[in-house]
Amino acid sequence: MTEKAQTQEAEAPQFYLEEEHHPEGSTMLGFWIYLMSDCLIFAVLFATHGVLGRNYAAGPSPADLFDLPLVAINTAMLLFSSITYGFAMLQMERNAKMETLFWLGVTGLFGLAFLGLELYEFYHLIHEGAGPGRSAFLSSFFTLVGTHGLHVTFGIIWLVTLMVQVKMRGLIPENRRRLMCLSMFWHFLDVIWIGVFSFVYLMGVLG
Amino acid sequence: MSSQAHAPAHEDAHNVHHGHSHGHDAGHGSLKTYMIGFVLSVILTAIPFWLVMGEVFDSKILTAVLIMVFAAVQIVVHMICFLHMNPRSEGGWTVMALIFTLIIVAIMLAGSFWVMHHLNTNMMPMSPEMMKNMP
């Protein structure tokens, strides 16, 4: 009887140790669920823009304001940053630290170019008197595109943090996991941007 | 005794599952999938921009529908080639979470547009001059 209790006792910690490994594997699922909740935030903002996007309050319309070539360049920047992040992940799998860092740096630069162009656009709009307070259309536009821009900003901060981590600690399992989370985050932002340029810019200019 | 025999088997199954899931869902693609995704994305982005900037079709509705179709296709391409979604990853839970989110988003978007469109059509018509004098 006591022997049986002892074996059970001895087994219990072993089972617990196995469980300890579990969070490692489910980080990706947890992060994916976070991304899905983020997706809901953007869905609400898209719905808001869909409802308010035609209410110009006798102000400028998207066709007056949006510079489609600029938006196309912006889209290209984000798409390039997506593919270069993919290259960084491929180098990470090859255990090539310096190459990973190089491609992460390129990704960051494309991200910064995207942000710079977006801030230039915002500055230009506000300078023209088409700020967020002008009409319901512009309020929802600035909220939606601004939220996406904030996500990219935090993505870049996260990217720089990870570059420092990789530089200091190398491609240890923890850093690999973090890089994979950021990879999902970064590609997810590109997916959201598809919705933004299609639904907000192209459909807006179309009228 | 039976529990003793059971435990290692359970452990094994656990390990096998781990090894399996690590190979599949670790979110790794190959250079080929990334390049396919990139080329498809460029094409699927360029066409809608061309449709709008070149004013290819007279019908605005046709252009709008095409833009939405290209966006939907490109989102699927990104999901598969960049986010490496597949029905097996994490035992299917990522796909389940995605489907759940899509259902919620569809209900929310369709409901919002439906309700607000009705509200708009039932509003009193307003001229730009009236709007300018609004408080």
Side-chain angles (χ1 to χ4, degrees), chain A residues 4 7-8 11 14-15 18-19 21-22 25-26 28-29 32-33 35-36 39-40 43-44 46-47 50-51 55 57-58 68-69 71-72 75 79-80 82-83 86-87 89-90 92-93 180 183-184 187-188 190-191 194-195 197-199 202-203 205-207, chain B residues 1 3-4 7-8 10-11 14-15 18 25-31 34-35 38 41-42 44-45 48-49 52-53 60 63-65 67-68 70-71 74-75 78-79 82-83 85 90 93-95 97-98 101 104-105 108-109 112-113 116 120 128 131-132:
Chain A
K4 198 173 181 181
T7 47
Q8 266 181 351
E11 246 171 20
Q14 210 178 15
F15 186 63
E18 282 303 313
E19 280 292 294
H21 282 288
H22 204 72
S26 54
M28 290 304 135
L29 178 58
W32 179 255
I33 289 173
L35 286 183
M36 291 297 102
C39 186
L40 290 181
V44 170
F46 272 113
V51 169
N55 301 353
L68 280 187
V71 180
T75 307
L79 194 54
F80 280 133
S82 244
I83 188 74
F87 292 155
M89 294 300 284
L90 292 175
M92 184 193 85
E93 270 175 73
M180 263 151 60
S183 160
M184 287 164 79
H187 293 310
F188 170 76
D190 206 5
V191 170
I194 298 170
F197 81 71
S198 302
F199 190 66
L202 292 180
M203 300 274 268
V205 170
L206 200 63
Chain B
M1 198 59 206
S3 71
Q4 244 178 345
H10 178 75
E11 240 172 63
H14 211 76
N15 283 341
H18 256 264
D25 68 54
H28 304 318
S30 60
L31 183 63
Y34 277 117
M35 286 322 284
F38 180 69
S41 297
V42 169
L44 291 168
T45 305
F49 269 96
V52 174
M53 289 163 83
K60 279 185 178 175
T63 315
V65 168
I67 290 171
M68 285 292 111
F70 279 114
Q74 198 184 345
I75 286 173
H78 272 245
M79 288 278 177
F82 291 161
L83 283 164
M85 289 288 290
E90 303 283 353
W93 285 109
T94 50
V95 175
L98 178 67
T101 312
I104 298 283
V105 168
M108 199 270 299
L109 282 177
S112 301
F113 293 154
M116 294 312 284
N120 264 349
M131 269 187 202
K132 270 182 190 158

Side-chain angles (χ1 to χ4, degrees), chain A residues 62-92:
Chain A
D64 307 325
L65 292 175
F66 294 154
D67 184 14
L68 280 187
L70 188 75
V71 180
I73 295 170
N74 232 351
T75 307
M77 289 300 131
L78 212 54
L79 194 54
F80 280 133
S81 82
S82 244
I83 188 74
T84 54
Y85 202 106
F87 292 155
M89 294 300 284
L90 292 175
Q91 295 298 337
M92 184 193 85

Side-chain angles (χ1 to χ4, degrees), chain A residues 102-178:
Chain A
F102 169 75
W103 285 115
L104 286 178
V106 174
T107 307
L109 288 180
F110 277 125
L112 277 179
F114 172 82
L115 266 188
L117 286 171
E118 193 166 287
L119 284 176
Y120 165 76
E121 189 195 16
F122 279 7
Y123 170 79
H124 191 66
L125 287 179
I126 293 169
H127 197 69
E128 277 185 337
R134 180 63 191 86
S135 63
F137 148 64
L138 282 163
S139 299
S140 60
F141 166 78
F142 273 95
T143 313
L144 173 56
V145 181
T147 305
H148 181 270
L150 262 185
H151 275 77
V152 176
T153 312
F154 282 105
I156 291 173
I157 294 171
W158 189 1
L159 185 88
V160 172
T161 314
L162 280 187
M163 281 175 75
V164 174
Q165 287 263 1
V166 171
K167 181 108 181 127
M168 286 170 66
R169 308 269 159 85
L171 291 167
I172 53 176
E174 286 81 0
N175 280 343
R176 285 167 182 269
R177 191 187 63 219
R178 290 164 188 152

Side-chain angles (χ1 to χ4, degrees), chain B residues 111-130:
Chain B
S112 301
F113 293 154
W114 184 32
V115 169
M116 294 312 284
H117 177 73
H118 273 251
L119 205 62
N120 264 349
T121 44
N122 289 331
M123 286 283 275
M124 196 177 72
M126 256 192 174
S127 67
E129 285 72 33
M130 287 164 80

